[in-house]
Amino acid sequence: QVQLVESGGGVVQAGDSLRLSCVVSGRTFTFSSWTMGWFRQAPGKEREFVAAIRGNGGGTYYGDSVRGRFTIFRDNAKNTEYLQMNSLKPEDTAVYFCVGKMRNAWLSPERAEYENWGRGTQVTVSS
């Protein structure tokens, strides 16, 4: 059983920055083999792809609404991925979910591709 636990959410003002973390733990897994990512869901909206990163950190992919403002990265020695969010906007307000998969290295924007999900952390951006 593998667990994904997010942290770092909070309430900030528009233009501020925030960094989310996701620690992955479990009995038998190799974090560096996992493709990781982030999704988010705002009230009344569908879950939206934010970003993904390959196991070795060599490839990343971003959703259109965050490209250029958010950066995904990881520390395989710490079994942790991060999402650095800059120039936050009120429309970034959402619950942010950490996701992971080990079946392939495709940087997919599709929810169904990721078999492991965290419980989410709330990010609120006030105007």
Side-chain angles (χ1 to χ4, degrees):
Q1 190 78 8
V2 177
Q3 289 187 321
L4 287 68
V5 180
E6 305 94 336
S7 63
V11 180
V12 297
Q13 293 187 330
D16 285 352
S17 297
L18 203 60
R19 179 179 292 182
L20 305 183
S21 301
C22 173
V23 178
V24 183
S25 62
R27 293 189 64 183
T28 56
F29 79 104
T30 304
F31 182 70
S32 59
S33 298
W34 283 43
T35 298
M36 299 295 296
W38 294 90
F39 280 74
R40 67 184 183 185
Q41 188 165 20
K45 295 188 177 181
E46 291 191 358
R47 205 160 286 191
E48 176 190 18
F49 171 75
V50 175
I53 185 169
R54 288 202 174 95
N56 61 6
T60 57
Y61 180 57
Y62 295 91
D64 290 341
S65 59
V66 305
R67 189 175 295 117
R69 298 187 298 122
F70 290 11
T71 302
I72 186 171
F73 60 102
R74 63 194 293 161
D75 184 340
N76 287 343
K78 296 182 178 180
N79 290 354
T80 302
E81 73 154 349
Y82 304 91
L83 184 68
Q84 177 66 42
M85 305 185 293
N86 298 332
S87 302
L88 283 162
K89 305 175 181 179
E91 49 264 44
D92 293 320
T93 295
V95 177
Y96 284 71
F97 297 91
C98 171
V99 300
K101 60 170 179 167
M102 53 185 168
R103 56 185 175 182
N104 60 56
W106 178 29
L107 298 176
S108 171
E110 303 296 331
R111 291 180 296 174
E113 268 291 307
Y114 299 90
E115 63 261 22
N116 297 281
W117 289 71
R119 293 188 174 185
T121 185
Q122 176 70 46
V123 172
T124 302
V125 184
S126 61
S127 57

